[in-house]
Amino acid sequence: MLGGSVYIAFIRFTISLMGTILLFSLLAKSRFERKKTIVCYSCFSVALILLACVWYVTDWESCSRMVAFTMYICFAIFAIFMGRDSVYLAIYKLALIFYLMSVFLVGGLEISILFFNRNVWADIVSRIFLILLIAFLLEKYVRKSMNSFCDYVESEADKFSIVAMIICILLGIGYILNPSMNREITPQRLYQILTNFFLTGTLQLLVFRFYLHVGKEKEYERENQLIQMNYRLLERQIEILQESVDSGRRLRHDIRHHNAVMAEYLRRGETEELLQYLQEYDRETDQGIPKTICANPAVNNILSAYSRKARKEEIRVVLDVELGKNLAIPSIDLVAILANVYENAIYACMEVRKYAKEQECFIDLMLKKRKNKLVISCYNTCKKEAVLKDGKPRSEFTGGVGVSSIIRTVKKYGGEYDFKNDDGVFMVRLIMNTEPPKFSVTEER
């Protein structure tokens, strides 16, 4: 520190703390509403600045050495409480803010020492300028991509890697702000400061770009799974269309025979026999009509298509579906879930048949609406050795078909999911709200 009266210290403490809060607010969202957030941060800031000023008056030497670390640690604890992010993600953001805080603290000091003969007002003005410059750059180049980055870190990041990265950043900045470091203006000291800033900033940038890249790769993978799912749905629809064409051909062929038989009955005057023949024809026609599974057309078609495919593979299918025609959930989302669940169940049964051809395989699918909830459960035969990772089936267990698509759609409607392998019986249980929440998790961030 450059010294000065307690009033000067008060101004510097206020600028530094307000700058830190401003930069953190650009990257993290509070768990409380705007008004309550402002009140909480204001009360915290007043208390912390007053305590720092008391410390400055009572023991200037220790305050000059440790006040920046102490105030930051207090702010970090308070920020974790105020934020809505997970602990790991909050710590990462705080490490980034620690780096940015060191930039305007050290930058202000060095500008004052090198160009203004240790003038305290030059330090204050420089800090304000650097804070505003950093805030502008964050708002323009970082803030939007930070939302996606946060989602990717929470879903994809290895926790050990995050901890190791944070420790490296804190050690690098801690070295820069080391109060016992020589403060004489020498080329070696400036080189050390610039090198540490460069290396620590590069580490931040590399981690940021890495997780953005990993997240985008996952997005591409999910899009590829959706394409595969659409391809399978198209195959099922083509099968239904081909069956309709074949059925029409058989019907036209059979109608000629039926007309000939009825004409012969009429020529002979055998009306009783004709009536009996027509009754038998009606019964056969009714048996040939596909059974309606539920009143919802989209769900009925997709379940009919996959049920036919399952029965062709000699898989026992039991359906318990209670669903009306009108449902708040769009058909495309509902079909995406059912197609993935059913396709994965059929794939699991076929994998079992590869190694145990005589084993009986089954699929029990239940779909019901209860008040404002939609409940979906599926039990099917699977390999006993199939294991789950992080509570989700692996791609080799499901054939690569969209488990991530199922989870994403369930979360979209504020629902919950559960996957389990119970000694060779795989269970999928999903509960969703019949209407999506007003804001998704990503939009809230």
Side-chain angles (χ1 to χ4, degrees):
M1 294 183 69
L2 300 176
S5 66
V6 67
Y7 302 107
I8 297 296
F10 174 81
I11 295 173
R12 297 168 74 186
F13 293 154
T14 302
I15 292 172
S16 299
L17 184 57
M18 292 299 101
T20 303
I21 293 174
L22 172 63
L23 299 181
F24 184 76
S25 299
L26 291 174
L27 301 180
K29 297 296 184 181
S30 173
R31 68 175 65 187
F32 305 113
E33 60 183 10
R34 183 183 183 90
K35 184 177 180 180
K36 186 176 181 179
T37 301
I38 294 174
V39 172
C40 291
Y41 271 120
S42 298
C43 295
F44 167 78
S45 301
V46 170
L48 188 60
I49 292 171
L50 290 178
L51 289 175
C53 290
V54 172
W55 187 8
Y56 184 86
V57 172
T58 56
D59 190 353
W60 179 87
E61 184 176 355
S62 63
C63 180
S64 63
R65 290 177 176 274
M66 298 300 299
V67 69
F69 286 103
T70 305
M71 291 182 68
Y72 178 79
I73 291 173
C74 294
F75 166 77
I77 296 172
F78 185 75
I80 292 175
F81 168 75
M82 291 289 294
R84 68 174 63 171
D85 296 317
S86 63
V87 175
Y88 281 103
L89 191 56
I91 293 176
Y92 172 81
K93 290 182 179 180
L94 287 169
L96 175 59
I97 296 302
F98 190 37
Y99 173 77
L100 298 177
M101 183 189 75
S102 67
V103 170
F104 67 74
L105 284 180
V106 176
L109 287 172
E110 297 303 321
I111 291 174
S112 174
I113 293 173
L114 289 174
F115 303 106
F116 297 97
N117 194 25
R118 298 179 176 269
N119 185 283
V120 293
W121 293 107
D123 176 31
I124 291 173
V125 173
S126 299
R127 289 189 188 190
I128 295 174
F129 171 78
L130 291 174
I131 290 170
L132 295 177
L133 177 62
I134 294 172
F136 171 77
L137 295 176
L138 287 179
E139 177 67 26
K140 187 172 182 179
Y141 298 106
V142 178
R143 190 177 185 181
K144 291 183 179 179
S145 57
M146 179 62 73
N147 292 330
S148 300
F149 169 79
C150 294
D151 293 335
Y152 299 151
V153 168
E154 285 191 325
S155 60
E156 310 295 344
D158 173 29
K159 299 302 184 291
F160 176 80
S161 300
I162 293 179
V163 173
M165 178 268 298
I166 291 172
I167 291 175
C168 292
I169 292 173
L170 294 179
L171 288 177
I173 304 304
Y175 176 79
I176 296 172
L177 296 179
N178 182 8
S180 62
M181 188 173 67
N182 181 20
R183 292 295 178 184
E184 294 182 2
I185 303 176
T186 62
Q188 182 181 4
R189 173 171 166 269
L190 292 176
Y191 174 76
Q192 289 176 338
I193 292 175
L194 293 176
T195 301
N196 274 275
F197 269 122
F198 175 77
L199 294 178
T200 309
T202 302
L203 177 60
Q204 284 273 7
L205 180 62
L206 289 177
V207 171
F208 184 77
R209 298 296 299 175
F210 171 75
Y211 282 116
L212 274 181
H213 176 74
V214 170
K216 289 179 180 179
E217 287 293 325
K218 291 295 182 180
E219 288 292 331
Y220 295 149
E221 181 180 341
R222 283 190 284 267
E223 290 177 2
N224 182 50
Q225 289 177 347
L226 288 176
I227 293 174
Q228 293 181 29
M229 184 198 71
N230 291 331
Y231 174 75
R232 287 168 169 78
L233 288 176
L234 182 60
E235 283 185 328
R236 301 291 87 77
Q237 295 297 326
I238 291 175
E239 290 176 4
I240 294 174
L241 180 60
Q242 186 62 44
E243 289 178 1
S244 299
V245 172
D246 294 340
S247 177
R249 289 174 179 172
R250 288 193 302 268
L251 184 61
R252 288 193 298 271
H253 181 268
D254 293 341
I255 283 176
R256 291 197 298 269
H257 295 288
H258 293 309
N259 289 339
V261 171
M262 289 187 291
E264 186 64 26
Y265 278 125
L266 290 174
R267 278 194 296 269
R268 294 181 180 182
E270 299 175 348
T271 56
E272 293 294 332
E273 287 80 359
L274 176 59
L275 291 175
Q276 183 179 357
Y277 176 79
L278 290 175
Q279 291 175 355
E280 293 178 356
Y281 179 72
D282 288 340
R283 285 195 297 270
E284 291 180 1
T285 303
D286 292 337
Q287 292 176 357
I289 297 176
K291 183 179 178 182
T292 301
I293 299 174
C294 71
N296 188 288
V299 174
N300 183 77
N301 290 336
I302 195 66
L303 292 182
S304 298
Y306 277 101
S307 295
R308 279 195 290 270
K309 178 177 175 60
R311 292 186 177 109
K312 285 181 181 179
E313 299 293 337
E314 298 181 352
I315 301 171
R316 180 174 59 84
V317 177
V318 177
L319 299 177
D320 182 11
V321 182
E322 296 179 9
L323 200 63
K325 183 178 295 186
N326 298 320
L327 192 65
I329 299 177
S331 296
I332 188 171
D333 289 333
L334 193 55
V335 166
I337 292 177
L338 293 175
N340 279 314
V341 170
Y342 217 152
E343 183 88 27
N344 292 341
I346 294 173
Y347 178 84
C349 292
M350 293 172 63
E351 285 295 301
V352 171
R353 284 280 175 80
K354 288 182 180 180
Y355 304 97
K357 295 183 179 181
E358 301 301 324
Q359 182 174 344
E360 181 182 4
C361 296
F362 69 90
I363 298 175
D364 290 351
L365 180 64
M366 186 270 288
L367 176 63
K368 294 183 179 181
K369 183 182 178 184
R370 291 291 182 264
K371 295 183 179 179
N372 63 336
K373 300 288 185 180
L374 182 65
V375 182
I376 302 174
S377 69
C378 182
Y379 296 76
N380 61 269
T381 309
C382 70
K383 293 190 291 186
K384 295 182 179 180
E385 60 272 18
V387 296
L388 280 67
K389 182 180 180 182
D390 297 329
K392 305 172 189 176
R394 298 183 177 181
S395 59
E396 61 268 21
F397 177 47
T398 62
V401 182
V403 172
S404 60
S405 176
I406 296 174
I407 295 174
R408 183 170 56 178
T409 307
V410 170
K411 287 183 176 180
K412 176 181 176 181
Y413 292 91
E416 298 180 357
Y417 61 89
D418 180 38
F419 301 96
K420 185 178 180 182
N421 183 357
D422 187 9
D423 195 28
V425 177
F426 188 74
M427 296 181 290
V428 180
R429 289 172 287 194
L430 311 172
I431 299 178
M432 299 186 297
N433 297 316
T434 52
E435 294 184 0
K438 292 182 179 179
F439 300 100
S440 65
V441 175
T442 304
E443 289 172 339
E444 287 180 351
R445 284 180 180 155

